[in-house]
Amino acid sequence: MSDTPNRPVGRRTFVLGSAAAVGTAALAGPLAPSASAASFGWSDDGSNYVVDTGASLVFKVSKTNGDLTSLVYKGTEYQGYGGKNSHIESGLGTSTVTIGQSGSTILISVSYGTLKHYYAARSGENNVYLWTNKADDSVSATRYIVRVNAGKFLNDEPDSYTYTTSTIEASDVFAKSDGQTRSKHYSKHRVIDYDYIGWTTGSVGLWMVRSNHEKASGGPFYRSLLRHQSADGGGLYEILYYGENQTEAQRFGLQGPYVIAFTDGGAPSSSLYHANLTTSWADSLGISGYVAAGGRGKVAGVGITGRDTSYAYTVGLANSAAQYWGSARSSDGYFSIAGVLPGTYTLTVFKGELAVHTTSVTVTAGGTTTLNTIAIPSSNDPSNASVIWRINNWDGTPGGFKNADLMTYAHPSDVRASSWTGNVVIGSGTETSAFPCYLWKDVNSGIIVYFRLTAAQAAAAHTLRIGVTTAYANGRPQVVVNDTWTSAVPSPPSQPSTRSLTVGSYRGNNYTFTYSVPASAWLTDTSAYNTLKIYVASGSGSTSFLSAGTSIDAIDLLS
């Protein structure tokens, strides 16, 4: 029998892993060998386990460390750039790697310390199913990266980076000769925005289909690495945990399945998407930490009242062990979140990305927790407050402000960015579009807002509110009114301590600063403009776009 990739053995037993032997007892159980399709099966080439899916895909996994060393689709090798394999994090050390087949499924198991990783193939499918169980922080495993050969797909995708020697920040943000910026960080998409990521030539598509991220962190609006391209090749990511601008502690446990999928150029089958993927065939494979559908529950909400129907609403579930989310129906706020591990969760209703309601919910295995209509108190949405003026609306994002959209896939120094300076006049009609989405101590601190007050308004004290979505280096706003009244420097709220504003992420911990401005601070001349100067206060940070900064959600003066 041949051990070549194109003619793997279709009926084999477990073999020895590279670091430890598997005894004869391993022949029993769900992965004992069984009959399979003519070309479907696996072989051992001495260094790798070679799996033929019986379709158009043959892949290899190293017997030494569990790296994915080859991805051959329709006779073309796609794996590898820069002499690197596809793998967890930057690759594992010597591991125990075993393989077995049960009917139409082949499973490769990789064990490295407390980390367990799995590859599965199904007969007749051009997919590689992956699971990763990180039990604790003793092993670094924050991502799986598929490394793709250069030249296989169009370079310079909008959210990728093109190699250049012009590094403008750290070692991972670059400037092209035309002034545009690129970085592997510039994914643009939030987790809730995509089911898969990848490339297509029109005749071949290579995709990473994400898992449900139940053991990831950051919630539905988190942004992280998705893909990148350079002169050496490209990478597709499934981020298991990432600390950049992270708002939550790391969760541990099994993540997956996530899927490497080849197609004839189109999108991957929707049956692979995290919301639809049925893995009943994996129930008996013995995957560490695996919980079948019967061991999970569901939360369903009759509806949500008190919504602003011009915004999308999302319902999130989170505790220290898992996270989930679902969209609320626009007509009545109905929502349903299935596949939830048993436990008690904090349920949060988000208007856009702004939390406007929280409660507690308990999920049981095999059960559905049905919630009566959730009523959002009017006071929970800051947009409901009566104001003299407002810049932008409250939705937990800087969307609508100057440069806001660009900043999810470009550096603030990018040539496409409008000037970060420039003052704003209330009543001009351009209050929001003229106000920069980010403020930095070294770049545009001291932005001025001009506004008029009536005599009655000028005779009273008012509360000024500034909402922020995240901050870098403890940046927070301090205000000066008419050059005569200066607020105290507020205490910094809890925010991520890593880079944020320069790596495509505005999502931190939403926080509202309030300032009680006395009546004596206002101008009594109703024809004159009052001035509000907004400065960034902080002794942290370095210079320029890495000086202390903050992202703005909304600014208003209460009536």
Side-chain angles (χ1 to χ4, degrees):
M1 291 183 294
S2 170
D3 283 341
T4 60
N6 291 322
R7 296 180 58 199
V9 179
R11 185 178 175 88
R12 291 285 293 271
T13 62
F14 278 89
V15 299
L16 299 181
S18 60
V22 178
T24 56
L27 293 176
L31 286 181
S34 62
S36 62
S39 62
F40 175 69
W42 63 271
S43 63
D44 181 344
D45 70 4
S47 299
N48 307 278
Y49 292 125
V50 184
V51 178
D52 189 327
T53 66
S56 300
L57 175 63
V58 178
F59 65 91
K60 298 181 181 181
V61 175
S62 168
K63 294 165 57 180
T64 300
N65 57 18
D67 282 5
L68 186 65
T69 60
S70 177
L71 273 173
V72 175
Y73 179 66
K74 293 185 176 180
T76 299
E77 177 67 76
Y78 285 87
Q79 199 295 126
Y81 67 79
K84 298 179 180 180
N85 296 323
S86 301
H87 44 215
I88 284 289
E89 195 56 25
S90 297
L92 303 175
T94 301
S95 306
T96 301
V97 185
T98 59
I99 190 169
Q101 180 177 333
S102 178
S104 58
T105 303
I106 294 172
L107 183 73
I108 297 176
S109 303
V110 182
S111 179
Y112 179 78
T114 61
L115 179 72
K116 311 295 181 185
H117 181 68
Y118 304 90
Y119 300 89
R122 296 277 289 163
S123 178
E125 296 185 12
N126 293 312
N127 305 316
V128 183
Y129 297 84
L130 303 98
W131 290 263
T132 303
N133 188 341
K134 184 178 180 181
D136 51 46
D137 60 6
S138 64
V139 180
S140 178
T142 61
R143 67 178 184 182
Y144 191 93
I145 178 171
V146 180
R147 302 184 187 274
V148 183
N149 282 327
K152 294 297 188 294
F153 300 98
L154 178 66
N155 201 1
D156 203 22
E157 293 284 339
D159 56 358
S160 67
Y161 76 90
T162 300
Y163 179 77
T164 171
T165 57
S166 180
T167 303
I168 59 174
E169 184 177 304
S171 59
D172 54 13
V173 182
F174 304 91
K176 296 175 61 181
S177 59
D178 62 2
Q180 292 191 16
T181 54
R182 294 288 188 270
S183 174
K184 62 184 179 182
H185 296 288
Y186 298 150
S187 65
K188 191 173 185 178
H189 300 296
R190 306 167 303 173
V191 178
I192 197 174
D193 295 330
Y194 72 97
D195 296 306
Y196 59 88
I197 197 75
W199 301 290
T200 180
T201 65
S203 59
V204 175
L206 173 55
W207 315 97
M208 175 69 84
V209 183
R210 75 167 175 87
S211 68
N212 67 353
H213 280 219
E214 70 180 0
K215 295 293 185 177
S217 298
F221 314 121
Y222 188 66
R223 283 182 171 86
S224 192
L225 288 68
L226 294 182
R227 63 180 172 182
H228 77 267
Q229 288 179 290
S230 69
D232 298 327
L236 296 178
Y237 297 91
E238 167 73 343
I239 296 298
L240 308 178
Y241 175 78
Y242 201 60
E244 198 110 75
N245 206 38
Q246 179 60 256
T247 59
E248 294 183 306
Q250 184 172 7
R251 294 182 172 95
F252 298 106
L254 184 69
Q255 297 208 59
Y258 49 104
V259 187
I260 302 169
F262 280 92
T263 70
D264 59 2
S269 170
S270 61
S271 65
L272 300 178
Y273 298 174
H274 58 92
N276 303 316
L277 182 60
T278 299
T279 53
S280 57
W281 53 264
D283 289 354
S284 61
L285 295 182
I287 294 172
S288 173
Y290 184 90
V291 179
R296 297 170 177 270
K298 178 180 178 180
V299 176
V302 172
I304 303 172
T305 60
R307 293 173 297 121
D308 180 340
T309 55
S310 60
Y311 287 88
Y313 281 71
T314 302
V315 179
L317 304 176
N319 61 22
S320 62
Q323 62 171 7
Y324 307 91
W325 55 84
S327 297
R329 193 160 62 193
S330 60
S331 60
D332 56 7
Y334 168 83
F335 63 90
S336 177
I337 305 172
V340 180
L341 292 172
T344 298
Y345 294 84
T346 297
L347 181 151
T348 303
V349 178
F350 296 93
K351 169 197 172 186
E353 296 184 18
L354 184 67
V356 292
H357 182 75
T358 61
T359 188
S360 180
V361 62
T362 298
V363 179
T364 58
T368 296
T369 301
T370 302
L371 303 177
N372 294 325
T373 298
I374 295 173
I376 302 173
S378 177
S379 59
N380 285 14
D381 185 347
S383 297
N384 292 329
S386 178
V387 299
I388 296 172
W389 53 259
R390 174 175 290 147
I391 305 175
N392 214 4
N393 202 2
W394 296 81
D395 68 352
T397 83
F401 281 130
K402 182 165 61 174
N403 295 326
D405 181 64
L406 178 65
M407 287 303 95
T408 62
Y409 59 94
H411 190 269
S413 65
D414 195 289
V415 67
R416 292 168 290 178
S418 300
S419 172
W420 287 104
T421 58
N423 301 317
V424 174
V425 179
I426 300 298
S428 65
T430 61
E431 297 93 335
T432 298
S433 60
F435 198 98
C437 62
Y438 299 162
L439 299 177
W440 290 273
K441 188 173 184 178
D442 272 12
V443 177
N444 55 356
S445 183
I447 289 284
I448 304 175
V449 178
Y450 294 91
F451 60 96
R452 290 189 176 101
L453 296 176
T454 66
Q457 291 167 344
H462 297 287
T463 297
L464 173 74
R465 302 188 300 183
I466 301 179
V468 303
T469 69
T470 194
Y472 176 68
N474 288 326
R476 65 270 197 197
Q478 181 183 26
V479 301
V480 176
V481 176
N482 291 322
D483 293 325
T484 60
W485 182 86
T486 303
S487 72
V489 177
S491 299
S494 175
Q495 295 288 5
S497 59
T498 60
R499 286 182 298 169
S500 53
L501 308 182
T502 58
V503 290
S505 178
Y506 60 74
R507 177 70 187 169
N509 295 312
N510 290 105
Y511 185 83
T512 301
F513 293 92
T514 60
Y515 309 84
S516 298
V517 185
S520 59
W522 311 124
L523 299 180
T524 56
D525 183 353
T526 59
S527 65
Y529 280 105
N530 290 267
T531 60
L532 168 68
K533 295 181 180 178
I534 305 174
Y535 295 90
V536 176
S538 175
S540 305
S542 56
T543 60
S544 188
F545 295 111
L546 287 178
S547 63
T550 190
S551 170
I552 306 298
D553 178 9
I555 305 170
D556 56 24
L557 187 66
L558 301 187
S559 59

CSV table of all heavy atoms in Angstrom, one decimal, residues 372-410:
chain,number,residue,atom,x,y,z
A,372,ASN,N,-39.5,37.3,29.7
A,372,ASN,CA,-40.6,38.2,29.3
A,372,ASN,C,-40.0,39.5,28.7
A,372,ASN,O,-38.8,39.7,28.7
A,372,ASN,CB,-41.4,38.6,30.6
A,372,ASN,CG,-42.2,37.4,31.1
A,372,ASN,OD1,-42.6,36.5,30.4
A,372,ASN,ND2,-42.3,37.3,32.4
A,373,THR,N,-40.8,40.3,28.2
A,373,THR,CA,-40.4,41.5,27.5
A,373,THR,C,-39.5,42.3,28.4
A,373,THR,O,-39.8,42.6,29.6
A,373,THR,CB,-41.5,42.4,27.1
A,373,THR,OG1,-42.3,41.7,26.2
A,373,THR,CG2,-41.1,43.7,26.4
A,374,ILE,N,-38.3,42.7,27.9
A,374,ILE,CA,-37.3,43.5,28.7
A,374,ILE,C,-37.6,45.0,28.4
A,374,ILE,O,-37.7,45.4,27.2
A,374,ILE,CB,-35.9,43.2,28.2
A,374,ILE,CG1,-35.5,41.7,28.6
A,374,ILE,CG2,-34.9,44.2,28.9
A,374,ILE,CD1,-34.2,41.3,28.1
A,375,ALA,N,-37.8,45.7,29.4
A,375,ALA,CA,-38.1,47.2,29.3
A,375,ALA,C,-36.8,48.0,29.6
A,375,ALA,O,-36.3,47.9,30.8
A,375,ALA,CB,-39.3,47.6,30.2
A,376,ILE,N,-36.3,48.7,28.7
A,376,ILE,CA,-35.1,49.5,28.9
A,376,ILE,C,-35.6,50.8,29.6
A,376,ILE,O,-36.3,51.6,28.9
A,376,ILE,CB,-34.4,49.8,27.6
A,376,ILE,CG1,-33.9,48.5,27.0
A,376,ILE,CG2,-33.2,50.7,27.9
A,376,ILE,CD1,-33.3,48.7,25.6
A,377,PRO,N,-35.2,51.1,30.8
A,377,PRO,CA,-35.6,52.4,31.4
A,377,PRO,C,-35.1,53.6,30.5
A,377,PRO,O,-34.0,53.6,30.0
A,377,PRO,CB,-34.9,52.4,32.8
A,377,PRO,CG,-34.7,50.9,33.1
A,377,PRO,CD,-34.4,50.3,31.7
A,378,SER,N,-35.9,54.6,30.4
A,378,SER,CA,-35.5,55.8,29.6
A,378,SER,C,-34.2,56.4,30.0
A,378,SER,O,-33.4,56.8,29.2
A,378,SER,CB,-36.6,56.8,29.7
A,378,SER,OG,-36.3,58.0,28.9
A,379,SER,N,-34.0,56.4,31.4
A,379,SER,CA,-32.8,57.0,31.9
A,379,SER,C,-31.5,56.2,31.5
A,379,SER,O,-30.4,56.7,31.7
A,379,SER,CB,-32.9,57.1,33.4
A,379,SER,OG,-33.1,55.9,34.0
A,380,ASN,N,-31.6,55.0,31.1
A,380,ASN,CA,-30.5,54.2,30.8
A,380,ASN,C,-29.8,54.5,29.4
A,380,ASN,O,-28.7,54.2,29.2
A,380,ASN,CB,-30.8,52.7,30.7
A,380,ASN,CG,-31.0,52.1,32.1
A,380,ASN,OD1,-31.1,52.8,33.1
A,380,ASN,ND2,-31.1,50.7,32.1
A,381,ASP,N,-30.6,55.2,28.6
A,381,ASP,CA,-30.1,55.7,27.3
A,381,ASP,C,-29.8,57.2,27.4
A,381,ASP,O,-30.8,58.0,27.5
A,381,ASP,CB,-31.1,55.4,26.2
A,381,ASP,CG,-30.6,55.7,24.8
A,381,ASP,OD1,-29.5,56.4,24.7
A,381,ASP,OD2,-31.2,55.3,23.8
A,382,PRO,N,-28.6,57.6,27.4
A,382,PRO,CA,-28.2,59.0,27.5
A,382,PRO,C,-28.8,59.9,26.4
A,382,PRO,O,-28.9,61.1,26.6
A,382,PRO,CB,-26.7,59.0,27.5
A,382,PRO,CG,-26.3,57.7,26.9
A,382,PRO,CD,-27.3,56.7,27.3
A,383,SER,N,-29.2,59.3,25.3
A,383,SER,CA,-29.8,60.1,24.2
A,383,SER,C,-31.1,60.6,24.6
A,383,SER,O,-31.6,61.5,23.9
A,383,SER,CB,-29.9,59.2,22.9
A,383,SER,OG,-28.7,58.8,22.5
A,384,ASN,N,-31.8,60.0,25.6
A,384,ASN,CA,-33.1,60.5,26.0
A,384,ASN,C,-33.1,61.8,26.8
A,384,ASN,O,-34.2,62.4,27.1
A,384,ASN,CB,-33.8,59.4,26.7
A,384,ASN,CG,-34.2,58.2,25.9
A,384,ASN,OD1,-34.4,58.4,24.7
A,384,ASN,ND2,-34.2,57.0,26.4
A,385,ALA,N,-31.9,62.2,27.3
A,385,ALA,CA,-31.9,63.4,28.1
A,385,ALA,C,-32.1,64.6,27.3
A,385,ALA,O,-31.7,64.7,26.1
A,385,ALA,CB,-30.5,63.5,28.8
A,386,SER,N,-32.8,65.6,27.9
A,386,SER,CA,-33.0,66.9,27.2
A,386,SER,C,-31.8,67.7,27.2
A,386,SER,O,-31.1,67.9,28.2
A,386,SER,CB,-34.2,67.6,27.9
A,386,SER,OG,-34.4,68.9,27.3
A,387,VAL,N,-31.4,68.2,26.0
A,387,VAL,CA,-30.1,68.9,25.9
A,387,VAL,C,-30.3,70.3,25.2
A,387,VAL,O,-31.3,70.5,24.5
A,387,VAL,CB,-29.1,68.1,25.1
A,387,VAL,CG1,-28.8,66.8,25.7
A,387,VAL,CG2,-29.6,67.9,23.6
A,388,ILE,N,-29.3,71.1,25.5
A,388,ILE,CA,-29.2,72.4,24.7
A,388,ILE,C,-28.6,72.2,23.4
A,388,ILE,O,-29.0,72.7,22.4
A,388,ILE,CB,-28.4,73.4,25.5
A,388,ILE,CG1,-29.1,73.8,26.9
A,388,ILE,CG2,-28.2,74.7,24.7
A,388,ILE,CD1,-28.3,74.6,27.8
A,389,TRP,N,-27.6,71.4,23.4
A,389,TRP,CA,-27.0,70.9,22.1
A,389,TRP,C,-26.3,69.6,22.3
A,389,TRP,O,-26.0,69.2,23.4
A,389,TRP,CB,-26.0,71.9,21.5
A,389,TRP,CG,-24.9,72.4,22.4
A,389,TRP,CD1,-24.9,73.6,23.1
A,389,TRP,CD2,-23.7,71.7,22.7
A,389,TRP,NE1,-23.7,73.7,23.8
A,389,TRP,CE2,-22.9,72.6,23.6
A,389,TRP,CE3,-23.1,70.5,22.4
A,389,TRP,CZ2,-21.7,72.2,24.1
A,389,TRP,CZ3,-21.8,70.2,22.8
A,389,TRP,CH2,-21.2,71.0,23.7
A,390,ARG,N,-26.1,68.9,21.2
A,390,ARG,CA,-25.4,67.6,21.3
A,390,ARG,C,-24.6,67.4,20.0
A,390,ARG,O,-25.1,67.7,18.9
A,390,ARG,CB,-26.5,66.4,21.4
A,390,ARG,CG,-25.9,65.0,21.3
A,390,ARG,CD,-26.9,64.0,21.6
A,390,ARG,NE,-27.3,64.0,23.0
A,390,ARG,CZ,-28.5,63.7,23.4
A,390,ARG,NH1,-29.5,63.4,22.6
A,390,ARG,NH2,-28.8,63.8,24.7
A,391,ILE,N,-23.4,66.8,20.2
A,391,ILE,CA,-22.6,66.5,19.0
A,391,ILE,C,-22.5,64.9,19.0
A,391,ILE,O,-22.1,64.3,19.9
A,391,ILE,CB,-21.1,67.0,19.2
A,391,ILE,CG1,-21.2,68.5,19.4
A,391,ILE,CG2,-20.3,66.7,17.9
A,391,ILE,CD1,-19.8,69.1,19.6
A,392,ASN,N,-23.1,64.4,17.9
A,392,ASN,CA,-23.2,62.9,17.7
A,392,ASN,C,-24.3,62.4,18.6
A,392,ASN,O,-24.7,63.1,19.6
A,392,ASN,CB,-21.9,62.2,17.9
A,392,ASN,CG,-21.8,61.0,16.9
A,392,ASN,OD1,-22.6,60.7,16.1
A,392,ASN,ND2,-20.7,60.2,17.1
A,393,ASN,N,-24.7,61.2,18.4
A,393,ASN,CA,-25.7,60.5,19.3
A,393,ASN,C,-24.9,59.5,20.1
A,393,ASN,O,-23.8,59.0,19.7
A,393,ASN,CB,-26.8,59.9,18.5
A,393,ASN,CG,-28.0,59.7,19.3
A,393,ASN,OD1,-28.1,60.1,20.5
A,393,ASN,ND2,-29.1,59.2,18.7
A,394,TRP,N,-25.5,59.0,21.1
A,394,TRP,CA,-24.9,58.0,22.0
A,394,TRP,C,-25.2,56.6,21.5
A,394,TRP,O,-26.3,56.1,21.6
A,394,TRP,CB,-25.5,58.2,23.4
A,394,TRP,CG,-25.1,59.5,24.1
A,394,TRP,CD1,-25.8,60.7,23.9
A,394,TRP,CD2,-24.1,59.8,25.0
A,394,TRP,NE1,-25.2,61.7,24.6
A,394,TRP,CE2,-24.2,61.2,25.3
A,394,TRP,CE3,-23.1,59.0,25.6
A,394,TRP,CZ2,-23.3,61.8,26.2
A,394,TRP,CZ3,-22.2,59.6,26.5
A,394,TRP,CH2,-22.3,61.0,26.8
A,395,ASP,N,-24.1,55.9,21.1
A,395,ASP,CA,-24.3,54.5,20.6
A,395,ASP,C,-23.1,53.7,21.0
A,395,ASP,O,-23.0,52.6,20.5
A,395,ASP,CB,-24.6,54.4,19.2
A,395,ASP,CG,-23.4,54.8,18.3
A,395,ASP,OD1,-22.4,55.3,18.8
A,395,ASP,OD2,-23.5,54.6,17.0
A,396,GLY,N,-22.2,54.3,21.8
A,396,GLY,CA,-21.0,53.5,22.2
A,396,GLY,C,-19.9,53.4,21.2
A,396,GLY,O,-18.9,52.7,21.4
A,397,THR,N,-20.0,54.2,20.1
A,397,THR,CA,-19.0,54.2,19.0
A,397,THR,C,-18.7,55.6,18.6
A,397,THR,O,-19.5,56.5,18.9
A,397,THR,CB,-19.4,53.4,17.8
A,397,THR,OG1,-20.2,54.3,16.9
A,397,THR,CG2,-20.2,52.2,18.1
A,398,PRO,N,-17.5,55.9,18.0
A,398,PRO,CA,-17.3,57.2,17.4
A,398,PRO,C,-17.8,57.4,16.0
A,398,PRO,O,-17.5,58.3,15.3
A,398,PRO,CB,-15.7,57.3,17.4
A,398,PRO,CG,-15.3,55.9,17.2
A,398,PRO,CD,-16.3,55.0,17.9
A,399,GLY,N,-18.7,56.4,15.6
A,399,GLY,CA,-19.2,56.5,14.2
A,399,GLY,C,-19.9,57.8,14.0
A,399,GLY,O,-20.7,58.3,14.8
A,400,GLY,N,-19.6,58.4,12.8
A,400,GLY,CA,-20.1,59.7,12.4
A,400,GLY,C,-19.2,60.8,12.6
A,400,GLY,O,-19.2,61.9,11.9
A,401,PHE,N,-18.2,60.7,13.6
A,401,PHE,CA,-17.2,61.7,13.7
A,401,PHE,C,-16.2,61.6,12.6
A,401,PHE,O,-16.0,60.6,11.9
A,401,PHE,CB,-16.5,61.5,15.1
A,401,PHE,CG,-17.2,62.0,16.3
A,401,PHE,CD1,-17.4,61.2,17.4
A,401,PHE,CD2,-17.7,63.3,16.3
A,401,PHE,CE1,-18.0,61.6,18.5
A,401,PHE,CE2,-18.3,63.8,17.4
A,401,PHE,CZ,-18.5,62.9,18.5
A,402,LYS,N,-15.4,62.7,12.4
A,402,LYS,CA,-14.4,62.8,11.4
A,402,LYS,C,-13.4,61.6,11.5
A,402,LYS,O,-12.9,61.4,12.6
A,402,LYS,CB,-13.7,64.1,11.4
A,402,LYS,CG,-12.7,64.3,10.4
A,402,LYS,CD,-12.3,65.8,10.2
A,402,LYS,CE,-11.7,66.4,11.5
A,402,LYS,NZ,-11.2,67.8,11.3
A,403,ASN,N,-13.1,60.9,10.4
A,403,ASN,CA,-12.1,59.8,10.3
A,403,ASN,C,-12.5,58.5,11.0
A,403,ASN,O,-11.7,57.6,11.1
A,403,ASN,CB,-10.8,60.3,10.9
A,403,ASN,CG,-10.1,61.4,10.0
A,403,ASN,OD1,-10.3,61.4,8.8
A,403,ASN,ND2,-9.4,62.3,10.7
A,404,ALA,N,-13.8,58.5,11.6
A,404,ALA,CA,-14.1,57.3,12.4
A,404,ALA,C,-14.0,56.0,11.6
A,404,ALA,O,-13.5,55.0,12.1
A,404,ALA,CB,-15.5,57.5,13.0
A,405,ASP,N,-14.6,56.0,10.5
A,405,ASP,CA,-14.6,54.7,9.7
A,405,ASP,C,-13.2,54.3,9.3
A,405,ASP,O,-12.8,53.1,9.4
A,405,ASP,CB,-15.5,54.8,8.5
A,405,ASP,CG,-15.6,53.5,7.7
A,405,ASP,OD1,-16.1,52.5,8.3
A,405,ASP,OD2,-15.1,53.5,6.5
A,406,LEU,N,-12.4,55.3,8.8
A,406,LEU,CA,-11.1,55.0,8.3
A,406,LEU,C,-10.2,54.4,9.4
A,406,LEU,O,-9.4,53.5,9.2
A,406,LEU,CB,-10.4,56.3,7.8
A,406,LEU,CG,-9.0,56.2,7.3
A,406,LEU,CD1,-8.9,55.3,6.1
A,406,LEU,CD2,-8.4,57.6,7.0
A,407,MET,N,-10.5,54.8,10.7
A,407,MET,CA,-9.6,54.4,11.8
A,407,MET,C,-9.7,52.9,12.1
A,407,MET,O,-8.9,52.4,12.9
A,407,MET,CB,-9.8,55.2,13.0
A,407,MET,CG,-9.3,56.6,12.9
A,407,MET,SD,-7.5,56.7,12.6
A,407,MET,CE,-7.5,56.9,10.8
A,408,THR,N,-10.7,52.2,11.5
A,408,THR,CA,-10.8,50.8,11.8
A,408,THR,C,-9.9,50.0,10.8
A,408,THR,O,-9.7,48.8,11.0
A,408,THR,CB,-12.2,50.2,11.7
A,408,THR,OG1,-12.7,50.5,10.3
A,408,THR,CG2,-13.1,50.9,12.6
A,409,TYR,N,-9.3,50.7,9.8
A,409,TYR,CA,-8.4,49.9,8.9
A,409,TYR,C,-7.2,50.8,8.5
A,409,TYR,O,-6.6,50.5,7.4
A,409,TYR,CB,-9.1,49.4,7.7
A,409,TYR,CG,-9.8,50.4,6.9
A,409,TYR,CD1,-9.2,51.0,5.7
A,409,TYR,CD2,-11.1,50.8,7.1
A,409,TYR,CE1,-9.9,51.9,4.9
A,409,TYR,CE2,-11.8,51.7,6.4
A,409,TYR,CZ,-11.2,52.3,5.3
A,409,TYR,OH,-11.8,53.2,4.5
A,410,ALA,N,-6.8,51.8,9.3
A,410,ALA,CA,-5.7,52.7,8.9
A,410,ALA,C,-5.1,53.3,10.1
A,410,ALA,O,-5.8,53.4,11.2
A,410,ALA,CB,-6.1,53.7,7.9
